[in-house]
Amino acid sequence: MKRTTGQDRSRTRNWRPATRAVRGGTWRSEQGETSEALFLTSGYCYDAAGVAAARFAGEDDGMTYSRLQNPTVQMLEERIALLEGAESCRTQASGMAAMTTALLCQLSAGDHMVSARAAFGSCRWIVDNLLPRFGIETTIVDARDNAAWEAAIQPNTKVFFFETPANPTMDIADLEFICGLAKSHGITSVVDNAFCTPALQRPLEWGADVVAYSATKMMDGQGRVIAGAVAGSAEFINDVLLPFQRNTGPIIAPFNAWVVLKSLETLDLRIRRQSANALKLGEFVQDRVPVILHPWLDSHPQQNLAKKQMDDCGPIFSMVLEGGRAQAHAVLDALELIDISNNIGDSRSLMCHPASTTHHNMGPEGREAAGVYEGMLRINVGLEDPDDLIEDLDRAFASAGL
Ligand SMILES: *Cc1c(COP(=O)(O)O)cnc(C)c1O
């Protein structure tokens, strides 16, 4: 294996984002392949016993076992680190494996964590159910309320955990304020950046310590694989995250890593076009529904903050209908082009009713408190012609009485 220029940090650091997305992290075998190779191997052989010993002693750079290192996986990790502007990155089997690893690797019994109210359903399950079982205390705050973050800090607060924009309420958390507050108290901020990806929002530039991803979403972007990633300082990744990850093993399969690696080459193109389509659809939808939650529209109370920290609106927005679950389901059932699906970031337009799917487990009171209303619909706008999408929505709205 030869490292190409994509592996030489002193050169890649100067590359602009589009170049990093296509070239970053590339290794080439002696075959000189143009496209990155897929290494489906669980182990590695050594030329001599002494080489094996040197590798296990950490005196030789080579690989020993694919739970610990794999060339295809390392190419992906290097490319994500470059896009995020992070010193280091490690990938996991899913977004939830990434969140779990990013939190459990640094929290211990007796610690306290502050977490955002509006969050991906499984993230809330970890905060509400898993961490307390291990003696980790959690406080839930409204992520939009800067004073609430400050008020929630205790002497044993170790971590702030939030996503922005939040799923599915499109709440925006103030990255600069919250991450700055964390820093000044020695608290580690962990930001779930699945909605934006580094193509639209780089939390580390606003002072975040750790960024965690579902790479299943915009990074794959074509609805094929489940994947996750955590990026941060070399010290955090090597000293805090890696001992946990190497020994517990929530690693990504090389095939899935390869799919995401190739997808990163088109991430910026896809997310820019999907954002443009999402803005066009939002402008159509706002005249038809009582409430639209879209960070780029004037009706969003945090539009200025969104525009400060995001480069574009991203593919996702939500709306709330007056007719509750029945009317929301009626819209979904009348769609002909847009699919009923709970995935996001896909190049296909997908729509779902969070209260009966992704946020079903929270129960009615939990949903009400988290702002996930019965009449809420969330849409992921894809790469289709936006006029076809508008026609489909127009027909579905009309048939549901809107
Ligand atoms: C999808 C998602 C996750 C979980 O990722 P998986 O890849 O499905 O495990 C976490 N956070 C957010 C914001 C998500 O959208």
Side-chain angles (χ1 to χ4, degrees):
M1 288 294 280
K2 265 203 311 214
R3 291 165 185 251
T4 68
T5 49
Q7 279 285 320
D8 179 352
R9 276 293 178 103
S10 60
R11 295 176 65 169
T12 53
R13 285 284 161 198
N14 298 327
W15 284 348
R16 291 162 186 84
T19 310
R20 293 179 177 197
V22 177
R23 299 271 183 174
T26 305
W27 296 36
R28 279 199 180 118
S29 78
E30 45 293 341
Q31 306 305 327
E33 67 278 356
T34 43
S35 173
E36 296 80 355
L38 170 53
F39 287 86
L40 288 178
T41 182
S42 42
Y44 305 89
C45 302
Y46 314 95
D47 288 340
V51 176
R55 286 206 189 152
F56 275 81
E59 293 154 6
D60 182 299
D61 266 353
M63 308 204 170
T64 56
Y65 188 57
S66 277
R67 172 154 44 77
L68 313 180
Q69 317 96 354
N70 177 278
T72 308
V73 171
Q74 288 196 359
M75 286 192 260
L76 172 63
E77 293 172 341
E78 179 67 13
R79 193 166 290 175
I80 293 175
L82 279 167
L83 289 176
E84 192 59 53
E87 285 175 358
S88 194
C89 168
R90 285 293 178 275
T91 49
Q92 292 79 24
S94 66
M96 286 322 303
M99 303 305 153
T100 311
T101 301
L103 297 175
L104 285 185
C105 75
Q106 57 177 323
L107 287 165
S108 304
D111 288 341
H112 173 246
M113 180 172 96
V114 186
S115 177
R117 187 193 69 171
F120 187 71
S122 292
C123 293
R124 277 300 301 267
W125 185 86
I126 289 181
V127 174
D128 297 340
N129 298 292
L130 183 69
L131 297 182
R133 272 174 44 201
F134 293 89
I136 299 154
E137 211 191 327
T138 59
T139 300
I140 299 292
V141 297
D142 181 336
R144 298 167 295 184
D145 183 355
N146 287 351
W149 287 96
E150 196 149 16
I153 295 174
Q154 303 178 7
N156 58 341
T157 305
K158 258 309 241 323
V159 172
F160 279 0
F161 177 49
F162 63 99
E163 58 186 71
T164 181
N167 179 18
T169 58
M170 305 308 289
D171 288 356
I172 310 290
D174 187 335
L175 284 168
E176 189 173 25
F177 177 85
I178 300 167
C179 298
L181 178 69
K183 255 209 172 79
S184 68
H185 286 80
I187 295 165
T188 304
S189 49
V190 178
V191 180
D192 178 343
N193 200 27
F195 267 41
C196 283
T197 79
L200 297 188
Q201 175 173 276
R202 290 155 303 280
L204 298 178
E205 291 176 0
W206 298 105
D209 297 303
V210 178
V211 182
Y213 284 100
S214 170
T216 313
K217 310 295 168 55
M218 267 318 305
M219 282 194 177
D220 170 22
Q222 287 137 91
R224 298 167 296 188
V225 299
I226 303 284
V230 181
S233 68
E235 191 188 351
F236 175 80
I237 297 292
N238 293 333
D239 300 346
V240 182
L241 182 127
L242 262 187
F244 181 92
Q245 169 149 339
R246 290 172 142 227
N247 293 300
T248 58
I251 56 154
I252 192 170
F255 178 78
N256 292 357
W258 180 82
V259 170
V260 178
L261 178 70
K262 301 306 290 175
S263 291
L264 290 180
E265 296 173 12
T266 56
L267 172 63
D268 190 67
L269 282 174
R270 288 183 282 107
I271 205 164
R272 295 286 178 171
R273 175 65 73 87
Q274 287 180 243
S275 296
N277 288 354
L279 183 56
K280 192 163 181 187
L281 249 69
E283 284 164 348
F284 164 76
V285 168
Q286 69 180 351
D287 298 330
R288 293 287 283 274
V289 302
V291 177
I292 182 163
L293 306 164
H294 189 306
W296 246 233
L297 294 179
D298 293 341
S299 55
H300 196 291
Q302 297 174 290
Q303 185 195 34
N304 289 341
L305 177 60
K307 290 199 167 179
K308 173 185 155 189
Q309 59 194 34
M310 296 160 65
D311 296 341
D312 211 333
C313 64
I316 300 145
F317 67 90
S318 297
M319 61 197 88
V320 187
L321 313 182
E322 263 158 8
R325 179 177 296 218
Q327 192 173 36
H329 277 196
V331 170
L332 292 178
D333 289 340
L335 293 168
E336 289 175 9
L337 171 60
I338 300 168
D339 290 304
I340 305 170
S341 174
N342 45 284
N343 197 15
I344 53 171
D346 200 302
S347 55
R348 288 156 199 271
S349 293
L350 310 172
M351 214 160 158
C352 85
H353 179 244
S356 55
T357 57
T358 52
H359 292 68
H360 163 75
N361 280 341
M362 291 174 78
E365 280 135 47
R367 281 196 296 275
E368 186 76 20
V372 182
Y373 303 111
E374 285 295 305
M376 181 179 272
L377 286 170
R378 185 195 69 194
I379 184 165
N380 167 75
V381 183
L383 291 171
E384 303 95 335
D385 189 308
D387 290 331
D388 286 327
L389 299 172
I390 285 172
E391 281 172 25
D392 197 35
L393 276 179
D394 184 34
R395 188 175 42 235
F397 282 158
S399 99
L402 283 161

